[in-house]
Amino acid sequence: MTYLTQIVDSFEDASITELQVEFTSINNAHCNAEPWLAHLDAPLPVGHWSYCQWRPDKGDTVPTTDEPLLEGDVEQAFFDFERGTVGPFIDLPAPINPFTITPTPSQAEEPASGATTEAAASESSSASSRGLVIAVGVGAALLLLAAAAGITWARRRTS
């Protein structure tokens, strides 16, 4: 929720008007942060269905903490029918926060020392020469392809 709040805050005039979470194959479910609407443990042909909805226009507060929005016990149907596995769903890695990615420093920000300038110059010259080799190779391949097509066309016409 912290990431979602940061995204909303990055816009000048934005707000969260509704937040909902829905999950199947969970039993003994409960919603955190007192939602406006909650359907918990509704029976399905296999398993249960739970739903939580927060709407500020109905008087609730959209949760902004990193606490789980919906908690419960995972049913066997999750593994059998939803093809769930323990690792990716129980031990979720934290999502990447785009607001914390630090940009790589540009060459204008780097101090101009002799060793760094020479290393940067040699890197850029090797990258440009590599690009030149690739361009020449692609050009030669296209010429060979055109020659092969021409020879094939000429042999068909003479036959």
Side-chain angles (χ1 to χ4, degrees):
M1 289 308 300
T2 303
Y3 303 145
L4 184 60
T5 305
Q6 286 178 336
I7 291 169
V8 170
D9 290 342
S10 68
F11 295 100
E12 289 181 22
D13 187 21
S15 61
I16 300 173
T17 59
E18 180 180 325
L19 176 65
Q20 61 188 21
V21 107
E22 178 179 0
F23 201 88
T24 58
S25 303
I26 188 170
N27 197 12
N28 302 323
H30 66 277
C31 302
N32 293 328
E34 300 179 25
W36 173 72
L37 181 63
H39 296 287
L40 301 174
D41 297 333
L44 293 174
V46 177
H48 292 86
W49 171 75
S50 295
Y51 173 82
C52 306
Q53 181 183 46
W54 294 266
R55 291 187 55 181
D57 64 338
K58 301 294 182 183
D60 8 319
T61 304
V62 173
T64 56
T65 65
D66 285 334
E67 293 298 316
L69 299 174
L70 177 67
E71 292 182 288
D73 301 323
V74 177
E75 296 176 316
Q76 187 60 38
F78 176 74
F79 302 104
D80 295 342
F81 300 106
E82 305 287 336
R83 297 188 180 121
T85 59
V86 175
F89 290 98
I90 304 297
D91 302 319
L92 290 172
I96 295 173
N97 184 352
F99 293 98
T100 59
I101 297 174
T102 55
T104 56
S106 66
Q107 290 183 356
E109 295 173 359
E110 291 180 7
S113 68
T116 3
T117 308
E118 289 172 14
S122 70
E123 269 185 35
S124 99
S125 69
S126 70
S128 65
S129 65
R130 187 176 2 189
L132 180 62
V133 169
I134 290 171
V136 168
V138 168
L142 287 174
L143 286 174
L144 286 172
L145 184 64
I151 291 171
T152 304
W153 184 262
R155 291 186 75 193
R156 282 190 180 171
R157 294 203 59 133
T158 58
S159 302

